[in-house]
Amino acid sequence: MPELPEVETIRNELKPHLIGHKFTEIIIYDSKLILQPSIEEFCRKLMGQTIADIRRRGKYLIINLANGKSLVIHLRMTGALLLNSETAGKHVRAVFKFDNGNCLTFFDVRRLGVMWLNKGINYSIPELGPEPLSDDFSVDILAKRLKGRKAPIKAVLLDQSVIAGIGNMYADEALFNAGIHPMKTAGGLSSEETKKLHNAIVEVIKKAIGNKGASVANYKRPGGEPGTAHKYFKVAHQRGKPCPVCGELIQRIAVRNRGSYFCPNCQEE
DNA sequence: CATTGTCCCTGGAAGC
DNA sequence: TGCTTCCAGGGACAAT
């Protein structure tokens, strides 16, 4: 599932193939993919435009066009952007061709991914919290953002308006590394725990980017290769396996309907 | 504003 | 073998 490290990997690997190139053909197979404007207008406004830059904010991929507008893409659960892959098929929702002969396929089994065209460079994506790897994300900022929150820390970590880009897998990994139980009240963390959590979030995200993302479901890099970050997961999706630190069996509980994996010994309630 | 629950969407795995 | 249920989960949205 594409979270921050996966979207960052996709961005890095698409850039050299797409920047400076023009859209020469656009095929939309699934009308639900485009949020705005209409399909016809979307294609007309994109056709012939040059890609100036590819950026990322949280889990959103932002394709900046030379005309100042931007194409915003969210892959949600199973979306993938593949270079020079299949151009038709059951799960192909859109295909974009470019003047250098490259072809970009939007592949998405569960059809939850979306994209839209924005008017200005100030893409109107929802209000998001700080980027975990930016200077805006300090221990103090994290403490301020958790203060007074009564919801479980796991739920708050998944709230994109608190911190941008963290999803279910990396929330579980960060909480494990910080030794914090997912159900612990967010506002009740000690300053020591907050410090540990901050460090764990930064480290987990950095390491996952270094490993080109985690291929637990059907995440693929643009070239079709998997990432390797999931090979180093300690608790995420490891139900029933022994904790790498203490050997206790990893458990799964539901926190706000999200599967949450943790070690009952290392992360006491 | 904070919080919680529902829905969207499909396919693989597990259970019976 | 075939049916049902669970599970994967980001985010919009409604309700409280």
Side-chain angles (χ1 to χ4, degrees):
Chain A
M1 301 106 199
E3 302 180 21
L4 190 160
E6 288 74 28
V7 180
E8 182 68 10
T9 301
I10 291 166
R11 166 184 179 249
N12 290 334
E13 297 187 355
L14 281 181
K15 277 176 80 169
H17 297 96
L18 300 184
I19 288 182
H21 294 290
K22 285 185 170 70
F23 288 87
T24 55
E25 193 179 344
I26 299 163
I27 308 165
I28 308 296
Y29 291 107
D30 184 352
S31 62
K32 292 193 74 172
L33 175 64
I34 314 297
L35 293 186
Q36 69 159 29
S38 67
I39 307 279
E40 295 73 24
E41 203 178 339
F42 177 90
C43 293
R44 194 175 69 239
K45 286 189 166 168
L46 212 47
M47 192 69 93
Q49 293 302 323
T50 302
I51 293 182
D53 198 5
I54 304 181
R55 297 187 295 147
R56 180 193 58 72
R57 177 80 172 97
K59 302 172 193 172
Y60 294 83
L61 192 69
I62 301 142
I63 315 275
N64 286 146
L65 305 174
N67 68 359
K69 298 182 181 187
S70 50
L71 169 64
V72 183
I73 302 175
H74 198 301
L75 299 167
R76 293 278 179 90
M77 302 295 300
T78 56
L81 291 169
L82 302 175
L83 273 170
N84 305 319
S85 178
E86 56 195 304
T87 54
K90 197 175 176 186
H91 302 122
V92 174
R93 302 182 69 197
V95 173
F96 302 89
K97 292 183 182 173
F98 296 89
D99 62 2
N100 59 348
N102 272 335
C103 173
L104 187 67
T105 295
F106 193 111
F107 189 89
D108 187 8
V109 173
R110 286 166 61 186
R111 300 171 60 212
L112 292 170
V114 290
M115 62 173 70
W116 69 87
L117 214 48
N118 271 326
K119 295 192 178 79
I121 196 152
N122 294 319
Y123 45 88
S124 57
I125 58 181
E127 192 69 25
L128 296 175
E131 285 289 327
L133 300 188
S134 75
D135 293 339
D136 298 338
F137 185 60
S138 62
V139 179
D140 286 347
I141 291 290
L142 178 62
K144 272 182 194 141
R145 295 199 156 237
L146 299 183
K147 194 179 175 188
R149 301 288 295 243
K150 292 194 169 77
I153 183 64
K154 172 68 185 288
V156 175
L157 286 181
L158 294 180
D159 184 338
Q160 301 300 297
S161 68
V162 176
I163 309 167
I166 299 175
N168 208 36
M169 304 183 295
Y170 298 112
D172 283 354
E173 288 299 305
L175 286 171
F176 173 79
N177 287 347
I180 299 168
H181 193 284
M183 283 299 287
K184 193 150 190 168
T185 303
L189 297 192
S190 68
S191 56
E192 186 61 30
E193 284 173 320
T194 306
K195 204 171 165 182
K196 276 186 184 173
L197 181 59
H198 174 269
N199 187 55
I201 289 168
V202 172
E203 290 308 310
V204 159
I205 297 286
K206 267 190 190 168
K207 190 179 167 194
I209 293 175
N211 286 314
K212 316 275 187 199
S215 292
V216 296
N218 50 0
Y219 160 74
K220 282 180 184 174
R221 290 156 55 194
E225 316 93 332
T228 55
H230 57 288
K231 293 182 178 176
Y232 307 98
F233 280 170
K234 295 170 184 166
V235 293
H237 300 278
Q238 307 296 312
R239 174 160 51 171
K241 291 183 186 167
C243 167
V245 172
C246 74
E248 183 92 12
L249 299 186
I250 302 302
Q251 282 186 15
R252 177 191 182 274
I253 55 170
V255 180
R256 273 185 59 187
N257 282 331
R258 299 289 183 254
S260 300
Y261 299 86
F262 71 107
C263 169
N265 185 44
C266 297
Q267 297 163 269
E268 283 183 28
E269 209 158 352

